[in-house]
Amino acid sequence: MNSLASNGSLNPAIAPAKLARLKEVLLTILLGNLPTIALGVHLRKLLYSQIFGQFGRFICIETNVKFYGTSNIRLGDKVKICSGVRLNSLGAENNRITLGSEVTLERGVDIGTLQNSFIEIGEKTYIGLYTCITGYGNIKIGKNCLIAAHSGIYGNSHIFADPSQTIGDQGVTRKGIVIEDDCWLGHGVTVIDGVTIGRGSVIGAGAVVNRDIPPYSIAVGIPAKVIAQRNRI
């Protein structure tokens, strides 16, 4: 599509999106690496509110945080985003990332919606160092969850049933993932597309969750298997 109208000006249908992206880039470049002392934190709180879909009160954003598609990103009150985090909601009009109030994203967390999908993280949930949350399918993480470092939550999986085609040409699943309230995922847990982890469950370090986990379960291993119920201990 030509970005110019017949009179040489920007096509009015796409100009607002281009201008919004330009404003996002300028503000995040200018403010993103200001020191995390009063000046940097307060300037980001003041000016980032102009580019986000929602920007709550008392938000703390440290240095070197990368944002893409801020109009599709919603932040609740008292959200803390540490250095090196990346939030990417570009790519489709219906993409959305929502962080509830008092969510903490530790250093190096990478969250990205891929195509007309949403990622929601509920209030007071903690996401540990270098965790990756992404997918073509929707991902919903409940309130008061603890996700330990180096975990991976992937809302899609490659289809590979036909050996006559390359795996990349066979498409992906997009069933989505639900992690209900008050779950604890240990270090290095991987959650596969199509899984629901029930409320109050504990997943042991290094486990690969490729099937539903009932509420209040303790599950460990590859693949993860339920070894006990918390409400029966």
Side-chain angles (χ1 to χ4, degrees):
M1 179 186 294
N2 194 332
S3 62
L4 295 179
S6 59
N7 61 2
S9 62
L10 278 175
N11 187 324
I14 61 174
K18 287 181 175 291
L19 290 174
R21 176 61 180 151
L22 178 61
K23 187 175 183 180
E24 171 187 294
V25 170
L26 289 174
L27 283 177
T28 54
I29 288 175
L30 290 172
L31 302 178
N33 287 314
L34 286 177
T36 312
I37 53 176
L39 176 63
V41 170
H42 284 296
L43 280 177
R44 283 188 282 273
K45 284 196 292 187
L46 177 65
L47 297 176
Y48 279 7
S49 62
Q50 300 178 24
I51 58 175
F52 279 78
Q54 176 185 329
F55 200 85
R57 302 175 301 160
F58 311 117
I59 291 172
C60 178
I61 299 174
E62 295 186 353
T63 57
N64 193 34
V65 174
K66 304 297 184 185
F67 295 108
Y68 305 91
T70 49
S71 62
N72 296 330
I73 299 174
R74 297 172 171 83
L75 307 180
D77 297 338
K78 298 182 181 179
V79 168
K80 182 177 181 181
I81 302 178
C82 297
S83 296
V85 168
R86 186 179 79 124
L87 298 182
N88 186 353
S89 198
L90 283 177
E93 182 179 350
N94 294 324
N95 283 355
R96 186 175 79 253
I97 295 173
T98 302
L99 307 184
S101 295
E102 299 185 57
V103 165
T104 296
L105 305 182
E106 273 289 1
R107 287 183 291 114
V109 168
D110 194 329
I111 298 176
T113 52
L114 295 180
Q115 189 180 77
N116 293 314
S117 60
F118 69 77
I119 294 173
E120 294 182 0
I121 301 177
E123 296 175 5
K124 298 184 179 180
T125 284
Y126 172 89
I127 308 295
L129 297 162
Y130 301 104
T131 289
C132 180
I133 304 171
T134 189
Y136 287 98
N138 299 327
I139 298 172
K140 186 172 183 179
I141 301 174
K143 302 176 183 178
N144 299 297
C145 290
L146 301 170
I147 313 294
H150 297 278
S151 293
I153 300 170
Y154 303 110
N156 64 267
S157 183
H158 286 284
I159 298 168
F160 54 88
D162 185 353
S164 68
Q165 297 186 61
T166 63
I167 294 172
D169 287 337
Q170 295 184 57
V172 297
T173 65
R174 49 183 307 163
K175 300 174 184 177
I177 290 170
V178 176
I179 300 174
E180 296 181 348
D181 296 348
D182 191 31
C183 289
W184 172 27
L185 277 59
H187 180 278
V189 167
T190 300
V191 183
I192 303 299
D193 188 34
V195 162
T196 293
I197 299 177
R199 180 186 179 95
S201 290
V202 175
I203 310 299
V208 176
V209 185
N210 65 353
R211 67 191 73 180
D212 291 351
I213 303 295
Y216 300 103
S217 297
I218 300 172
V220 300
I222 303 175
K225 295 182 180 179
V226 175
I227 60 170
Q229 294 293 134
R230 286 182 61 212
N231 54 0
R232 297 177 187 170
I233 294 176

